[in-house]
Amino acid sequence: MKKNFEIGKDTYWVGYVDDRKVPFHRLILEKGTTYNSYFLDTEKPTLIDTVDIEFGRVFVENLSRFTDISKLEYVVINHVEPDHAGGLPALLSKAKNAKIVTTALGAEELKNMFKLHNREYIIIHDGMKLDIGGKTLQFFETPFLHTEETMVTYCMEDKILYPCDQFSTHIANHELFDDLAKEDITEDFNVYYQLIMHPHRPYVQDMLKKISQLDIQMIAPSHGYVLRENVAQYIHAYDEMSKPKKDKKAAILFSTMTGNTTKVAKIIAEGLEKKHIETRIINVDKADVESVLEVVRESDMIFFGSSTRYADMVGKLEIILKEMKNMDLSSKLGVAFGSYGWSGEAVEVINDYLKENGMKVIDSSYIIKVTGMDDVQVPLRVKFNPNEDEQRKLYRSIEIIGDLLVG
């Protein structure tokens, strides 16, 4: 092995430097990036992550100059996106006996993405350890950082954390280590966090709790520099940037016919209060218009709900929505909800009003674009009285929506 690629005892960087202007998540990475892969030359040779699918063949050719790929025992996949797992098919065509180490969901996604149904998988769970012959790897599930199947790997003897996308920077570099960088990487580190991790900040906090008891002397992420100088400062930065903002206010305004929309409103209120968001719930049919508008002015997020009657809203809610057209709502988040018996058009009519009024409307499209989560359906629609399963889905949705506010 070449000494300049060594990051620890018998541990080597074997990734790919992409020094182009790289299209990535609807952005252009002006400084390029690196796809970091790590080879642990132990009694049971192990690879942690691969490279982007575009460079899979080159990756395997380079790796074969360092080691006999046919003897590879384990391939750890922390995250299945093609910029991390993309080199797997080319690799496994030569590493025919290698076992894939990943989460349960990661295994399912790899099978479907790369048709790897006939490979042997080792499914990890939180805290699980794997002896790779001279080193011990420990695994922790870190869902939604930044996709649901993600995990991190820790080498106990080397005290190295392999956190996949977390703690990354998008810079094409040949210096490998942060203390050898030609310029201060702080801004690149922070920008990466804001663009990729910040939408998932509650899960960042969960991750930090899981790794808090580990002795981490080095962080070897999947993009950019390996961090070995004052590692604690990078962990502290993630902690500070992901802490929830306080003193946020929400309002739930609704009209109802039979009381089902009231039940939905109360569930929303309970979910927000669990996020420590100050919440007011108002049946607008029992309040005067100006007082309701004052609550709108004071709130950071407003939920608007109605039952559906003859394909439209009920009660005074539409009056409120019309009066709001004269207000500056550009800084406020808006969410539509409601109950219905047949087609439930009222919720969609509300959603149209929110967009026309210039609010930042939280719907499924917005959530997918910001967080990548596709299991949350917004506007919030409940048929008749919310049953136990619908209540569970509502609480899940409110958890995600609340996180968008407190972050």
Side-chain angles (χ1 to χ4, degrees):
M1 286 287 182
K2 294 182 180 180
K3 199 72 177 175
N4 61 316
F5 291 119
E6 189 171 18
I7 70 167
K9 185 178 184 302
D10 299 322
T11 302
Y12 304 87
W13 178 90
V14 290
Y16 185 87
V17 178
D18 189 353
D19 56 7
R20 306 169 300 164
K21 292 184 178 181
V22 182
F24 187 84
H25 285 252
R26 294 180 59 82
L27 303 169
I28 298 296
L29 305 180
E30 296 291 336
K31 295 183 178 181
T33 193
T34 60
Y35 306 108
N36 296 338
S37 175
Y38 304 96
F39 176 62
L40 283 64
D41 193 10
T42 56
E43 294 171 18
K44 300 176 183 179
T46 298
L47 191 75
I48 298 179
D49 292 322
T50 66
V51 301
D52 187 85
I53 191 169
E54 185 174 353
F55 307 107
R57 182 181 59 81
V58 175
F59 166 70
V60 171
E61 289 176 357
N62 290 339
L63 184 62
S64 65
R65 298 190 185 104
F66 286 161
T67 188
D68 183 350
I69 295 179
S70 67
K71 295 182 179 179
L72 204 61
E73 185 93 9
Y74 301 111
V75 181
V76 176
I77 298 296
N78 285 319
H79 176 33
V80 305
E81 275 197 317
D83 58 324
H84 306 284
L88 196 56
L91 177 73
L92 294 181
S93 68
K94 294 193 173 184
K96 297 187 181 298
N97 297 314
K99 305 173 187 66
I100 302 171
V101 183
T102 190
T103 61
L105 182 56
E108 290 306 308
E109 292 185 352
L110 289 172
K111 291 173 186 177
N112 293 325
M113 185 181 298
F114 298 122
K115 310 302 180 187
L116 299 174
H117 295 83
N118 297 321
R119 301 300 301 223
E120 183 176 351
Y121 291 83
I122 297 177
I123 305 302
I124 72 97
H125 53 78
D126 260 336
M128 177 178 144
K129 298 175 183 178
L130 178 66
D131 181 357
I132 60 171
K135 296 181 188 288
T136 308
L137 301 182
Q138 188 171 20
F139 308 102
F140 299 91
E141 295 181 80
T142 55
F144 299 112
L145 292 178
H146 58 111
T147 52
E148 189 174 1
E149 86 295 343
T150 308
M151 69 182 203
V152 301
T153 301
Y154 175 68
C155 182
M156 299 178 69
E157 290 78 10
D158 297 338
K159 298 178 173 52
I160 299 176
L161 181 70
Y162 300 91
C164 199
D165 274 327
Q166 300 162 74
F167 304 105
S168 286
T169 48
H170 275 314
I171 305 175
N173 77 84
H174 296 274
E175 297 83 36
L176 191 57
F177 296 104
D178 61 323
D179 55 309
L180 300 179
K182 296 176 180 177
E183 58 185 35
D184 186 357
I185 69 168
T186 302
E187 182 178 357
D188 296 288
F189 180 84
N190 291 342
V191 167
Y192 184 99
Y193 168 84
Q194 292 296 332
L195 292 176
I196 306 299
M197 291 297 153
H198 193 64
H200 309 274
R201 51 202 168 275
Y203 302 99
V204 173
Q205 287 289 309
D206 291 342
M207 176 274 296
L208 293 174
K209 290 175 185 175
K210 289 185 179 184
I211 69 169
S212 63
Q213 301 305 311
L214 303 179
D215 181 5
I216 301 171
Q217 299 298 316
M218 183 182 295
I219 299 176
S222 287
H223 296 293
Y225 287 99
V226 174
L227 309 174
R228 67 179 182 183
E229 184 177 54
N230 196 3
V231 169
Q233 75 178 354
Y234 295 108
I235 296 174
H236 177 71
Y238 260 46
D239 185 31
E240 288 298 309
M241 290 188 289
S242 63
K243 284 180 178 176
K245 296 177 182 176
K246 299 180 179 180
D247 303 323
K248 292 295 184 179
K249 295 181 180 181
I252 304 166
L253 313 178
F254 70 96
S255 292
T256 186
M257 287 193 304
T258 63
N260 290 334
T261 303
T262 304
K263 294 176 182 177
V264 177
K266 289 180 178 178
I267 290 172
I268 293 171
E270 290 174 11
L272 294 176
E273 287 163 2
K274 288 180 180 178
K275 293 288 181 182
H276 307 290
I277 298 169
E278 182 182 336
T279 305
R280 293 187 64 176
I281 179 169
I282 300 173
N283 183 335
V284 298
D285 296 329
K286 299 179 179 180
D288 70 86
V289 172
E290 187 51 45
S291 66
V292 173
L293 294 176
E294 186 57 33
V295 170
V296 171
R297 293 186 187 97
E298 295 173 352
S299 301
D300 302 293
M301 175 182 280
I302 307 102
F303 291 76
F304 300 85
S306 175
S307 308
T308 297
R309 184 172 185 267
Y310 300 136
D312 207 346
M313 290 176 277
V314 301
K316 291 164 53 178
L317 189 67
E318 189 163 17
I319 296 173
I320 302 297
L321 291 166
K322 287 180 177 178
E323 288 291 329
M324 286 167 47
K325 287 187 176 182
N326 299 318
M327 301 169 61
D328 180 6
L329 304 171
S330 58
S331 64
K332 300 183 185 299
L333 304 177
V335 186
F337 74 96
S339 65
Y340 66 102
W342 289 270
S343 49
E345 294 90 344
V347 178
E348 300 303 326
V349 176
I350 294 170
N351 214 46
D352 290 341
Y353 263 109
L354 302 185
K355 292 176 181 178
E356 292 170 6
N357 288 349
M359 301 189 78
K360 187 178 291 183
V361 179
I362 307 300
D363 56 17
S364 294
S365 174
Y366 180 90
I367 290 173
I368 289 172
K369 290 172 184 173
V370 172
T371 71
M373 298 179 184
D374 61 1
D375 64 328
V376 181
Q377 298 300 312
V378 188
L380 306 169
R381 295 157 49 94
V382 174
K383 194 167 186 177
F384 295 115
N385 186 20
N387 59 32
E388 187 174 320
D389 183 58
E390 288 169 328
Q391 290 183 36
R392 180 185 58 78
K393 291 178 180 178
L394 279 172
Y395 282 120
R396 164 69 175 158
S397 298
I398 298 307
E399 178 183 11
I400 302 305
I401 293 170
D403 288 339
L404 293 173
L405 176 61
V406 298

